[in-house]
Amino acid sequence: MPDQVGTAIPDSHGAAPVELEPGDSVCRAVARIAAVLRDHLTANLPVAIDGRNVEGVHQVRVALRRFRALVALLRRDYPCATLDEAAARARRLARAVGDARDWDVFLLETLPGLSPLGRMGVNVAGMLLPLAAARRDAAYDGVRQILGGEDARWVLRLVNRLAEGELWDEARSPAGLKALEEPAGAFAVRHLARLHRKVLRKGRGFTLLTPPQRHEVRLALKRLRYAAEFFVTLHAPGHAGRRYLRRLAAMQAALGMDSDVLTTRLLLERFGDAADGEIRYVLGAVTGFLCCRQDATHENAHRRWRKFRRTAVFWAR
């Protein structure tokens, strides 16, 4: 891998939540949130396009996830063609960036974590490293193309419009403008409660859930976490919301192995065109190893789930 250059800017949103005011309208709150997303995205796009600092792609992926989460919230209450287009364009960007990030994780984290198989005579690195490196390079070619293209420019223009308080043309009717003046606190409570209920519903009977079902729980947790981080300062300024956010993040992390195994399996399937007998043996060994590691995380995940379920929500204070 080439020397890393450029400076990727970490996600400041999680470290320093957006400072919203109790009197903010939805329009004003969205502008404040979008300004943070814009700064995060624009700072990291050149690093991701350059490709020599893997953190650039990671941070662009995070920024796109947060942007998509914000758009999803707005589309439920203020549906319009502009937001529909934003969701579609951001999804295409996220797909390309996500593919490159998945290969980075595979090369930098997953393969080193499979070293016990090497001590057992399974040549994981020797077999899979060249294959994965070639696919990673191809994925970065795709990143450079799409992040330098019209989809990225369009999304940046919209994020800037949101940050400047200019939402979308369809909202400029009297009814649309009135809806956007709803107190942000009421908007936040409605959506946080909905997303929290969805997590609890998907996690019902947690110990009996299959790996794909636990993965769905993790996705729901991720959407809830983004929304909670957007609006925590409205309802829980200072330290009041930290306990909820901390347990939410811990629950998401506890289910991370399910996501890692699912992603790795999908990546391994893409080696099928080069899978001779020896490679198939290595792929089988890796799959079995990861499944055993995944199984060992279930008790911790269940313990985290019980804690999360008992945690009081900060928006009901």
Side-chain angles (χ1 to χ4, degrees), residues 13-282:
H13 185 81
V18 180
E19 294 299 331
L20 303 180
E21 300 294 337
D24 281 345
S25 65
V26 171
C27 188
R28 180 57 179 158
V30 168
R32 293 178 187 267
I33 294 168
V36 173
L37 297 179
R38 176 191 60 193
D39 294 346
H40 186 208
L41 186 58
T42 55
N44 288 289
L45 273 173
V47 186
I49 292 172
D50 178 85
R52 286 178 285 179
N53 182 339
V54 298
E55 190 65 15
V57 158
H58 175 53
Q59 293 300 329
V60 168
R61 188 187 199 186
V62 171
L64 287 170
R65 281 176 170 175
R66 293 190 183 282
F67 173 69
R68 294 175 69 196
L70 178 61
V71 168
L73 292 176
L74 294 173
R75 289 176 76 197
R76 292 186 67 90
D77 285 12
Y78 317 111
C80 70
T82 301
L83 291 180
D84 292 342
E85 186 172 359
R89 288 181 182 268
R91 183 167 55 250
R92 289 195 291 269
L93 294 172
R95 188 179 299 119
V97 174
D99 189 42
R101 178 59 183 171
D102 287 343
W103 286 115
D104 279 338
V105 171
F106 184 82
L107 286 165
L108 299 175
E109 299 178 17
T110 304
L111 275 183
L114 297 172
S115 58
L117 287 174
R119 295 193 291 270
M120 298 171 61
V122 181
N123 187 18
V124 178
M127 290 287 101
L128 301 187
L129 179 58
L131 298 174
R135 284 160 176 78
R136 185 261 184 197
D137 291 344
Y140 266 79
D141 288 341
V143 165
R144 282 186 284 273
Q145 181 176 356
I146 196 165
L147 292 187
E150 178 56 27
D151 281 339
R153 289 191 291 270
W154 191 97
V155 167
L156 281 174
R157 287 195 296 268
L158 179 62
V159 174
N160 191 62
R161 288 176 59 202
L162 291 170
E164 297 300 322
E166 302 173 3
L167 289 180
W168 44 88
D169 293 339
E170 294 90 333
R172 294 191 178 279
S173 66
L177 289 173
K178 183 178 179 180
L180 291 168
E181 290 305 315
E182 175 190 15
F187 177 91
V189 167
R190 183 168 65 253
H191 286 288
L192 289 169
R194 173 181 59 82
L195 292 169
H196 185 83
R197 287 194 302 270
K198 187 172 183 178
V199 168
L200 296 181
R201 183 173 67 251
K202 285 185 173 293
R204 191 176 295 128
F206 188 85
T207 56
L208 302 177
L209 297 181
T210 63
Q213 288 171 328
R214 289 195 301 273
H215 180 64
E216 287 298 314
V217 174
R218 186 172 185 268
L219 293 178
L221 284 164
K222 187 179 300 184
R223 297 183 190 104
L224 173 60
R225 183 180 178 185
Y226 293 155
E229 289 174 344
F230 286 155
F231 298 111
V232 65
T233 57
L234 276 177
H235 295 279
H239 302 286
R242 286 188 179 179
R243 185 167 184 259
Y244 181 86
L245 289 174
R246 185 172 62 250
R247 290 194 172 180
L248 175 56
M251 184 65 234
Q252 186 181 333
L255 292 173
M257 181 55 69
D258 290 315
S259 177
D260 292 345
V261 170
L262 176 62
T263 299
T264 301
R265 282 182 169 178
L266 293 174
L267 295 180
L268 294 180
E269 289 176 2
R270 293 164 67 176
F271 293 144
D273 57 345
D276 57 20
E278 187 174 3
I279 291 178
R280 283 197 297 270
Y281 172 75
V282 170

